[in-house]
Amino acid sequence: MVTFLAAYVLLNFAPLLVLSVPPIWTQPEQVHLSYAGIPGSMVVTWTTFNKTDSMVEYGLQGGRLFEMSAKGDATIFVDSGEEKRKMFIHRVTLTGLKPAATYVYHCGSDEGWSDIFSFTALNSSFSFSPRFALYGDLGNENPQSLARLQKETQLGMYDVILHIGDFAYDMHEDNARIGDEFMRQIQSIAAYVPYMTCPGNHEATYNFSNYRNRFSMPGQTESLWYSWNLGSAHIISFSTEVYFYLEYGMDLIFKQYNWLKDDLEEANKPENRAKRPWIITMGHRPMYCSDDDQDDCTKYDSWVRVGRTDIKPPAPGLEDLFYQYGVDLELWAHEHTYERLWPVYGDKVYNGSKEQPYVNPKAPVHIITGSAGCRERTDRFNPNPKEWSAFRSTDYGYSRMQVVNATHIYLEQVSDDQYGKVIDSTWVVKEKHGFSSWL
């Protein structure tokens, strides 16, 4: 009788016992590329939820499939949410790639392989004219511009994507499952072109741990600040958030500032500026904006622009530094709008001329592009902007940029609300670069 009862109990609870067995997750997902900062290289990053080897098999398009392979390693990322979910972030660096050659690849291990993707190795020539899509503030919910960006990337319209902070809204939510889903959403972009990033305020939870662990930018700063070269441009990514989250280390303001100064000094050496005359920065929170939301950029004494005098020692802002070293173009997001500024320094306009304001401008040009789409919707503008505001739009959308050559950059804004219509376009023309170009 006891044996019968035991069997009966086991049979009734069998479904529960089966459900308690966790699945095995060895299949690669969330595949994305980034540029390692070294010519002829590319980093492939992906996630599994069980430990596996880290392999990329690849080959030239039209050649023998997967004739080459590279091995990397995986790091364990334990999310700080209640469940302490664990994932393995795999990184493999491909080297010796032929400039401008197209490669076919997949990643994973003998326990599971990804789909087949392709990418074009970045051209290392100084005369290369790279094409970028750039935006910030793209969420898992209401990612309105995403479908258009996915299609245009797969059509080959871009060489690089710049995501200027604020991912997923927010990557840490639901024990980092929102981060997982967002990384799956952008795979159809980021598995084909380098997806270059900087941190925003929506990454701050748990000391930016989801951002620092999921992305693989150049340098040794956990993707918080870095620089790289492409065509005739030197591109600098940095964190505006060091000014706002002092609980994670006030020293980060000064570490980043000193790093920026050293990097700009190196970029301004005559032999380097001659090869790459354009210096372009990307950071999340703007120095200037005309939004009606009391953000830092709406204030004359913006922390990012002029620094913080309310702490000891006082922290320097970035406007004077960027001006001193002749930064040409500054890309921002955070405001859920698009705004193009006239060349501006010290809250004043310094156009090249009345007829041609962006031809040999006498101050840096600022572009704000934070309206890609997220659950917070778009922002409103102040009805009375300052004189440095040149063009504004509250449409959902994103920006495009082409560094055409040593003297010309082309910029345009795409409205997703208007089915991909280009609603603003500008040529920035500079015959001379560096601090002396302001004089």
Side-chain angles (χ1 to χ4, degrees):
M1 185 65 181
V2 173
T3 306
F4 174 77
L5 280 171
Y8 179 79
V9 169
L10 280 170
L11 283 170
N12 275 278
F13 282 92
L16 294 177
L17 292 170
V18 170
L19 286 173
S20 71
V21 177
I24 300 298
W25 281 305
T26 57
Q27 190 64 32
E29 58 174 64
Q30 307 173 40
V31 181
H32 56 284
L33 301 173
S34 56
Y35 181 49
I38 301 163
S41 67
M42 194 73 77
V43 181
V44 186
T45 306
W46 70 94
T47 298
T48 61
F49 296 98
N50 283 99
K51 187 176 182 179
T52 69
D53 288 338
S54 309
M55 295 286 296
V56 173
E57 296 181 337
Y58 63 107
L60 284 163
Q61 188 176 55
R64 190 158 60 86
L65 204 58
F66 309 145
E67 64 180 339
M68 293 176 276
S69 66
K71 191 171 172 53
D73 52 34
T75 54
I76 299 174
F77 170 42
V78 181
D79 175 62
S80 297
E82 287 182 7
E83 294 180 23
K84 300 293 184 285
R85 288 179 68 238
K86 181 172 69 174
M87 60 192 80
F88 294 84
I89 311 291
H90 302 258
R91 292 178 174 87
V92 175
T93 301
L94 309 183
T95 58
L97 302 173
K98 295 179 180 178
T102 299
Y103 290 83
V104 175
Y105 76 99
H106 70 174
C107 59
S109 70
D110 287 339
E111 295 182 74
W113 292 99
S114 72
D115 289 342
I116 296 176
F117 304 105
S118 64
F119 68 85
T120 300
L122 292 178
N123 192 326
S124 56
S125 168
F126 300 130
S127 60
F128 176 46
S129 300
R131 304 157 301 159
F132 302 79
L134 45 132
Y135 51 83
D137 304 80
L138 180 66
N140 165 251
E141 179 185 337
N142 187 35
Q144 184 171 320
S145 301
L146 183 61
R148 195 173 303 281
L149 285 161
Q150 289 168 329
K151 184 173 181 179
E152 290 179 349
T153 300
Q154 293 176 13
L155 283 169
M157 288 177 60
Y158 305 116
D159 300 296
V160 179
I161 304 292
L162 304 180
H163 190 143
I164 312 172
D166 281 6
F167 305 79
Y169 285 73
D170 291 338
M171 287 195 285
H172 73 276
E173 289 190 5
D174 193 14
N175 293 279
R177 289 184 180 88
I178 296 297
D180 291 337
E181 186 54 35
F182 177 78
M183 298 305 292
R184 294 180 193 114
Q185 283 176 286
I186 65 166
Q187 178 177 279
S188 52
I189 298 174
Y192 295 92
V193 297
Y195 201 87
M196 308 302 285
T197 63
C198 73
N201 56 297
H202 277 268
E203 285 67 74
T205 303
Y206 312 135
N207 193 7
F208 298 85
S209 62
N210 267 269
Y211 174 81
R212 290 187 291 109
N213 281 277
R214 291 180 186 273
F215 292 107
S216 311
M217 298 300 115
Q220 304 298 318
T221 62
E222 296 180 297
S223 305
L224 294 176
W225 56 79
Y226 61 92
S227 66
W228 54 296
N229 299 315
L230 192 62
S232 54
H234 179 70
I235 304 167
I236 301 171
S237 172
F238 65 96
S239 172
T240 55
E241 303 317 297
V242 296
Y243 288 92
F244 298 88
Y245 295 97
L246 302 185
E247 64 269 32
Y248 298 137
M250 195 184 303
D251 62 315
L252 291 176
I253 299 178
F254 302 95
K255 279 184 180 176
Q256 176 175 262
Y257 186 89
N258 291 332
W259 178 88
L260 284 167
K261 188 173 186 294
D262 290 345
D263 188 82
L264 286 164
E265 244 171 49
E266 182 68 21
N268 271 279
K269 286 181 178 177
E271 63 273 23
N272 292 331
R273 198 89 200 228
K275 294 174 187 172
R276 294 189 171 88
W278 292 104
I279 297 182
I280 301 169
T281 63
M282 57 185 265
H284 184 60
R285 301 195 204 210
M287 295 181 187
Y288 300 93
C289 68
S290 63
D291 290 65
D292 188 19
D293 55 12
Q294 306 306 306
D295 278 351
D296 182 64
C297 52
T298 66
K299 303 179 175 81
Y300 177 78
D301 55 352
S302 152
W303 286 346
V304 175
R305 186 170 82 84
V306 302
R308 293 192 63 164
T309 57
D310 60 333
I311 60 174
K312 292 183 180 180
L318 298 177
E319 183 174 48
D320 284 346
L321 182 71
F322 288 175
Y323 184 79
Q324 177 187 348
Y325 286 100
V327 170
D328 301 291
L329 179 62
E330 302 181 26
L331 307 173
W332 311 95
H334 189 59
E335 306 305 312
H336 299 171
T337 50
Y338 167 75
E339 187 164 15
R340 169 172 52 83
L341 276 60
W342 300 120
V344 61
Y345 172 68
D347 210 37
K348 295 179 182 177
V349 172
Y350 290 92
N351 287 339
S353 67
K354 188 176 180 181
E355 296 77 20
Q356 296 179 304
Y358 297 106
V359 175
N360 297 317
K362 301 304 179 185
V365 175
H366 295 242
I367 300 289
I368 302 164
T369 176
S371 58
C374 68
R375 68 186 180 198
E376 292 182 356
R377 311 297 166 178
T378 52
D379 292 337
R380 295 181 306 174
F381 282 119
N382 182 326
N384 301 302
K386 291 192 176 182
E387 63 174 1
W388 36 252
S389 182
F391 182 91
R392 310 190 297 178
S393 172
T394 58
D395 285 6
Y396 285 109
Y398 52 93
S399 304
R400 296 181 183 134
M401 174 177 74
Q402 183 170 13
V403 181
V404 177
N405 54 36
T407 56
H408 289 66
I409 283 182
Y410 177 70
L411 295 149
E412 65 183 21
Q413 178 67 8
V414 177
S415 168
D416 194 73
D417 286 344
Q418 299 183 51
Y419 309 103
K421 179 182 177 183
V422 174
I423 57 172
D424 184 45
S425 62
T426 306
W427 284 92
V428 179
V429 180
K430 294 195 72 168
E431 295 160 323
K432 189 177 178 183
H433 297 265
F435 178 75
S436 61
S437 69
W438 308 142
L439 305 177

